[in-house]
Amino acid sequence: MKNHLQHLLFLGKALFLALLFFGLSRFVFVCFTFTQFPSIFNDGLLGVFLQGVRFDLSSIAYLNLFFILCSILPTRKREKPFYQRLLKVLFLFFNGFALFLNTVDIVNVHFTGKRMTADIVSFLFQGEDATHVAGDFMKDYWFLFPIFFLLVIALNLGYTFIQKNQFFLYRSKNNWKSYVLSLLVLIFTVLAMRGGTQLRPLKNIHASYYANGKYVPLILNTPFSILSTLSETGLQDKNYFSSQELNTHFNAERTFSSDSANAKNVVVVILESFAREYIGGYNTFTGYTPFLDSLMLHSTVCTSAYANGKKSIEGIPAVLSGIPALSDKPFILSQYGTQKGNSIAAVLAGFGYNSSFYHGGHPGTMGFDAYAEIADFDAYIDMSNYPNSEADYDGKWGIFDAPFLQFYKTELDRKQQPFFSSIFTLSSHHPYTIPDQYKGVFPKGDLPIHESIGYSDDALKQFFEEAKKSSWFLNTIFVITADHTFKSTQESYQNSNGMYAIPLLVYEPSVGLPDTITKVCQQTDILPTVVDVLNLDTSLVCFGNSIFDTTGFAINYLNSIYQYFEDDYLLQFNGIESIGLYHVKTDSILNENRLNLESFRAKKMERKVKAIIQDYNARMIHNNLKLNE
């Protein structure tokens, strides 16, 4: 019995060591990501660490299950050298892997604002994108690898120390009490796995209860974030409202009436990572997009437009199909990704439009080719169709923006009107490579992306200069937006409001009259906007409004929190209750939570976001994303 107690004591020391190193990896995480959480020191850094312990214990229990079982098994073989070596291997392998995930996830959080979830597996095997850029990520973030190795070395030294100093009593025997103690340890292990004795096991959403969900990525650890989403089978039907009441709050079905369509061409330009912060025309400070700034003077400009996701794979369906990203798994990679929806291509096909989607990336990039097929595009064009790919290849993602946009212009010259086409740029994506002849031409800025933003803006300028010479130009409506945002240097953008702020403008060369739309807009508004400006008579499913409607809203989802923008307010809702209400016009950095001060407004907005979620989930689950079959 005494011998068994010594083994359990050793187990406790080892698991405490693992907990300590999970805390150290969180400290490293905070050190390299705190610029994304500017209020962390005011709100309480210690609270983040304390809240994280519960999630760390859950991960440790899962990852060390074999280690725990081998340690509590009442057998005298536990003192044997080979058995002790086995325990050490199990401990270092699983906890070392956890430290690796926590360390490399620093890179992911910089780009997406959240910890990895189970969809990372699908992304890694979707095309060859991960392979193409892995080397650049390793080069740019090389300093993380020495930190990881130091953590593993220290973990190994710590385990060796407690193992070396563990005293086992060889003469004692095990009895029924040993089995009872082992059973108790196993029970506590299960409790740690599920995060306590509450009715439902611990999930990512529970990290949102601290500080109104502002520090979910810091509270979680990556193994937990991945493990807790592995078992998710898909969206669940919500029953916030009856079907009759639901329609009074929200209905994704849109009807447009018109006597005659104008048969203009439509070109949607999606700019990689063009955050609103980078565009001087949207701000009081100088940006990196002189051409876009000048184009805004002749366009209808949405001053409060938001992205519906944080990744390209989420932004493309939002822009082209009116489908926001309201779950952890992107629509393209989800079990619902094969559903037919009312994309712009599908709607315009009924009015005689030829449609095409251009992206200078590798074949299979983020599943865009498969998406284009499902969305009823007549053609998807990538770098494999580009005639001079060797000379104009950026070495990682695909064809540089300037030559590919010129190729795109030539392609449009060959199309029969009316046509609908969309192009998604890529040069302003990590590693932000630009052609040698352009180096030193554009401002370096404060972030590596800034120079490539200047290059892409100039490439767009060259495209328009050439497009003006084409016969189709004056008969075309251009919609320009971004797929998502990226890092910020301005405090007003370093929060869950600014991290979704994107440009959205409509340029009609035959009109060229400036207009400003101040209401809230979003990527999913582009589909109904196109239908509206073309004066089409049709019905469709879309989670947005035309930007020319009197009402507007935006919705997005991150770290298990839904964000709903309406008028000058932002409501944050965790699926169960509202956790934050902010007046974004006067409080751009989200310092004052007005949830209790304006409870009536909060309840009204909560009903709207609940209705959107319920309608969205139901349409996804029951394959009801399309009208006019």
Side-chain angles (χ1 to χ4, degrees):
M1 179 62 182
K2 290 181 179 179
N3 193 40
H4 190 57
L5 288 173
Q6 289 296 319
H7 282 287
L8 296 185
L9 177 62
F10 173 70
L11 171 63
K13 291 178 180 178
L15 295 180
F16 180 78
L17 181 68
L19 182 63
L20 175 64
F21 274 82
F22 265 69
L24 284 174
S25 69
R26 177 172 286 104
F27 176 75
V28 171
F29 196 94
V30 170
C31 287
F32 286 102
T33 62
F34 74 89
T35 54
Q36 297 200 26
F37 308 96
S39 302
I40 181 65
F41 297 106
N42 294 328
D43 290 338
L45 182 60
L46 180 60
V48 167
F49 279 82
L50 292 176
Q51 292 291 322
V53 169
R54 190 181 179 196
F55 297 90
D56 291 349
L57 288 173
S58 179
S59 292
I60 289 168
Y62 274 110
L63 294 172
N64 291 276
L65 182 59
F66 293 126
F67 176 78
I68 294 170
L69 292 175
C70 289
S71 297
I72 66 175
L73 187 64
T75 172
R76 295 296 297 273
K77 292 181 180 179
R78 287 178 294 181
E79 291 87 30
K80 301 293 184 181
F82 85 90
Y83 204 98
Q84 288 297 310
R85 285 195 296 269
L86 172 64
L87 290 178
K88 185 174 185 178
V89 168
L90 289 172
F91 183 85
L92 292 179
F93 175 79
F94 285 103
N95 292 290
F97 184 61
L99 295 177
F100 173 77
L101 290 176
N102 283 335
T103 305
V104 299
D105 210 10
I106 290 171
V107 181
N108 176 62
V109 168
H110 276 298
F111 283 85
T112 66
K114 70 170 188 174
R115 293 271 186 169
M116 295 180 195
T117 51
D119 68 292
I120 187 64
V121 179
S122 302
F123 174 75
L124 290 175
F125 290 98
Q126 183 71 48
E128 301 177 356
D129 303 320
T131 304
H132 293 141
V133 298
D136 287 286
F137 279 121
M138 293 175 68
K139 181 178 69 174
D140 291 348
Y141 294 90
W142 62 268
F143 50 86
L144 295 178
F145 291 94
I147 293 173
F148 161 67
F149 286 121
L150 285 174
L151 286 172
V152 172
I153 291 170
L155 181 67
N156 177 52
L157 291 174
Y159 185 90
T160 301
F161 176 79
I162 62 174
Q163 188 180 47
K164 181 180 179 181
N165 290 275
Q166 184 64 40
F167 177 64
F168 295 117
L169 300 171
Y170 294 92
R171 62 182 179 276
S172 65
K173 294 182 179 181
N174 294 310
N175 54 34
W176 65 270
K177 295 180 181 179
S178 301
Y179 291 94
V180 171
L181 286 175
S182 293
L183 180 61
L184 288 175
V185 171
L186 192 58
I187 291 172
F188 281 115
T189 300
V190 173
L191 286 176
M193 285 178 173
R194 66 191 313 280
T197 59
Q198 71 282 347
L199 183 61
R200 296 183 181 277
L202 194 65
K203 288 289 185 180
N204 289 359
I205 190 175
H206 292 102
S208 69
Y209 288 104
Y210 177 74
N212 301 321
K214 289 193 286 186
Y215 305 115
V216 171
L218 303 183
I219 294 171
L220 293 175
N221 61 75
T222 305
F224 180 89
S225 183
I226 294 174
L227 288 170
S228 67
T229 53
L230 276 175
S231 60
E232 292 183 355
T233 56
L235 297 171
Q236 303 296 318
D237 270 318
K238 299 294 184 179
N239 296 295
Y240 297 123
F241 308 103
S242 66
S243 57
Q244 293 82 7
E245 187 181 1
L246 175 65
N247 290 331
T248 65
H249 298 299
F250 179 79
N251 189 336
E253 297 180 9
R254 301 279 183 268
T255 298
F256 295 83
S257 300
S258 176
D259 294 332
S260 60
N262 59 38
K264 285 196 171 186
N265 308 309
V266 177
V267 172
V268 175
V269 180
I270 307 170
L271 300 169
E272 171 67 57
S273 301
F274 265 57
R276 194 194 305 165
E277 176 187 358
Y278 306 154
I279 302 169
Y282 274 103
N283 300 287
T284 57
F285 49 85
T286 303
Y288 304 91
T289 59
F291 173 70
L292 267 184
D293 294 348
S294 66
L295 194 65
M296 289 171 65
L297 300 176
H298 307 280
S299 305
T300 297
V301 178
C302 300
T303 60
S304 299
Y306 293 93
N308 293 111
K310 276 295 293 176
K311 295 182 283 190
S312 302
I313 202 170
E314 296 172 335
I316 298 303
V319 170
L320 300 179
S321 293
I323 300 174
L326 298 185
S327 65
D328 289 316
K329 199 164 191 176
F331 172 75
I332 292 176
L333 299 179
S334 74
Q335 64 199 75
Y336 314 108
T338 57
Q339 294 187 40
K340 291 284 188 179
N342 291 124
S343 68
I344 301 177
V347 172
L348 297 190
F351 295 87
Y353 280 70
N354 172 271
S355 61
S356 55
F357 182 19
Y358 286 74
H359 180 56
H362 293 273
T365 292
M366 297 188 214
F368 292 152
D369 51 352
Y371 162 74
E373 182 73 23
I374 290 295
D376 290 330
F377 279 88
D378 294 311
Y380 173 76
I381 308 298
D382 55 34
M383 70 174 292
S384 65
N385 307 105
Y386 183 76
N388 199 21
S389 58
E390 290 187 10
D392 297 325
Y393 180 47
D394 69 0
K396 301 299 175 184
W397 281 107
I399 308 303
F400 284 115
D401 283 352
F404 195 77
L405 277 164
Q406 291 303 309
F407 163 73
Y408 180 55
K409 182 266 175 188
T410 304
E411 289 278 291
L412 294 181
D413 286 342
R414 300 192 181 106
K415 295 188 183 299
Q416 181 178 346
Q417 301 185 58
F419 61 75
F420 161 62
S421 187
S422 181
I423 183 168
F424 178 33
T425 65
L426 57 72
S427 291
S428 45
H429 193 292
H430 183 275
Y432 319 114
T433 307
I434 65 174
D436 291 338
Q437 65 266 33
Y438 287 98
K439 291 180 178 177
V441 174
F442 308 105
K444 291 285 186 180
D446 300 315
L447 297 172
I449 193 175
H450 288 156
E451 183 180 23
S452 64
I453 291 289
Y455 166 71
S456 295
D457 178 71
D458 188 71
L460 193 64
K461 175 185 177 182
Q462 295 178 44
F463 165 76
F464 273 95
E465 287 176 345
E466 291 301 313
K468 287 178 182 178
K469 304 172 185 178
S470 299
S471 60
W472 51 265
F473 182 74
L474 289 177
N475 191 45
T476 302
I477 299 167
F478 295 89
V479 180
I480 301 175
T481 190
D483 60 335
H484 57 75
T485 65
F486 189 51
K487 287 183 182 179
S488 299
T489 58
Q490 301 292 322
E491 185 181 19
S492 58
Y493 286 97
Q494 292 174 335
N495 51 67
S496 50
N497 171 43
M499 70 188 297
Y500 286 98
I502 58 169
L504 176 56
L505 56 133
V506 177
Y507 172 56
E508 195 168 353
S510 62
V511 178
L513 298 177
D515 191 15
T516 300
I517 294 178
T518 58
K519 70 163 190 172
V520 172
C521 300
Q522 58 184 330
Q523 290 171 328
T524 56
D525 290 346
I526 293 174
L527 166 55
T529 298
V530 168
V531 173
D532 193 11
V533 297
L534 292 179
N535 294 323
L536 302 182
D537 191 352
T538 188
S539 297
L540 52 87
V541 169
C542 178
F543 292 85
N545 299 313
S546 168
I547 63 171
F548 300 105
D549 284 352
T550 56
T551 58
F553 72 92
I555 188 169
N556 44 54
Y557 172 87
L558 186 69
N559 294 320
S560 301
I561 297 173
Y562 299 90
Q563 295 200 138
Y564 179 71
F565 299 82
E566 186 179 80
D567 297 329
D568 296 334
Y569 287 83
L570 161 61
L571 179 80
Q572 294 176 330
F573 176 70
N574 66 10
I576 301 172
E577 61 184 357
S578 295
I579 59 174
L581 178 69
Y582 302 93
H583 190 269
V584 295
K585 292 296 182 182
T586 59
D587 180 25
S588 62
I589 59 177
L590 310 187
N591 268 338
E592 184 184 11
N593 188 346
R594 303 184 63 83
L595 193 61
N596 295 325
L597 293 174
E598 299 190 57
S599 58
F600 179 78
R601 180 182 294 274
K603 288 296 183 184
K604 180 182 177 182
M605 293 177 71
E606 182 180 306
R607 286 193 292 270
K608 186 67 175 287
V609 71
K610 283 180 175 179
I612 295 172
I613 296 168
Q614 182 171 330
D615 196 28
Y616 177 89
N617 286 15
R619 291 185 183 279
M620 286 289 182
I621 295 168
H622 303 294
N623 195 8
N624 195 18
L625 286 175
K626 186 174 183 178
L627 297 180
N628 296 335
E629 292 287 349

